């Protein structure tokens, strides 16, 4: 088992099946030594884990857990392209979208759920640049969407 997957197993997690796209795109694409994922929703076994706006229907704590789920789905998308997650040399960038109640301003704390999982999975290579953006609505009324870019060994 790859070290990254062992790190996830220590957290009681395993890499899921790749979430099926909800439109006309691929879950991840490699260009050179970079892998870009599509935005990943908090899908669990083919179903959206929650819906609604953070700060109204979804608590910030629930949203951080959902961001973790999105990151796990992003890891699955990367694995579908590279096969061995231990070929990932760096998580370069994370972009997190938070469907937010107009008064909610804690988007960075929510996306920490994704960042913390990536750090636990990839160790020092999981340290990344990041954006956390509040938006009015996301596909399927999801509260969170996360995309990542990773560098991989040749």
């Amino acid at each position: 088992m790859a070290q990254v997957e062992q790190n996830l197993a220590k957290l009681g997690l395993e890499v899921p099946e790749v979430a099926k796209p909800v439109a006309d795109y691929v879950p991840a694409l490699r260009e050179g030594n970079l892998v870009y994922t599509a935005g990943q929703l908090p899908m669990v076994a083919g179903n959206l884990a929650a819906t609604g706006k953070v700060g109204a229907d979804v608590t910030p704590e629930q949203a951080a857990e959902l961001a973790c789920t999105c990151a796990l789905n992003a890891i699955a998308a990367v694995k579908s392209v590279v096969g061995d997650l231990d070929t990932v040399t760096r998580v370069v960038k994370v972009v997190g979208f938070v469907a937010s109640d107009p008064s909610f301003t804690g988007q960075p704390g929510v996306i920490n759920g994704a960042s913390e999982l990536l750090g636990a999975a990839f160790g020092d290579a999981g340290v990344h640049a990041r954006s956390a953006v509040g938006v009015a609505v996301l596909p399927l009324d999801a509260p969170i969407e996360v995309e990542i870019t990773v560098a991989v060994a040749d």
Side-chain angles (χ1 to χ4, degrees):
M1 179 184 293
Q3 182 62 50
V4 172
E5 293 185 68
Q6 288 178 14
N7 293 344
L8 290 170
K10 290 176 189 173
L11 299 172
L13 300 171
E14 62 181 45
V15 179
E17 293 294 318
V18 178
K20 291 183 181 182
V22 298
D24 190 15
Y25 59 89
V26 294
L29 182 67
R30 182 174 180 167
E31 178 61 32
N33 74 327
L34 295 175
V35 176
Y36 301 87
T37 72
Q40 299 294 311
L41 301 177
M43 302 295 275
V44 176
N47 297 305
L48 196 59
T51 59
K53 307 294 180 274
V54 179
D57 312 302
V58 179
T59 69
E61 296 78 18
Q62 291 168 322
E65 290 177 18
L66 295 168
C68 178
T69 301
C70 293
L72 192 59
N73 288 336
I75 290 170
V78 169
K79 183 178 179 183
S80 75
V81 171
V82 301
D84 181 359
L85 289 169
D86 287 348
T87 64
V88 173
T89 59
R90 165 74 56 204
V91 177
V92 177
K93 176 83 179 203
V94 173
V95 180
F97 302 95
V98 181
S100 304
D101 179 82
S103 65
F104 182 72
T105 60
Q107 291 83 5
V110 167
I111 300 305
N112 278 348
S115 293
E116 291 167 3
L117 177 73
L118 293 166
F122 293 99
D124 290 342
V127 177
H128 53 269
R130 187 183 88 180
S131 299
V133 182
V135 298
V137 68
L138 288 167
L140 307 177
D141 198 27
I144 309 295
E145 182 173 346
V146 172
E147 64 182 56
I148 69 173
T149 303
V150 301
V152 295
D154 290 332

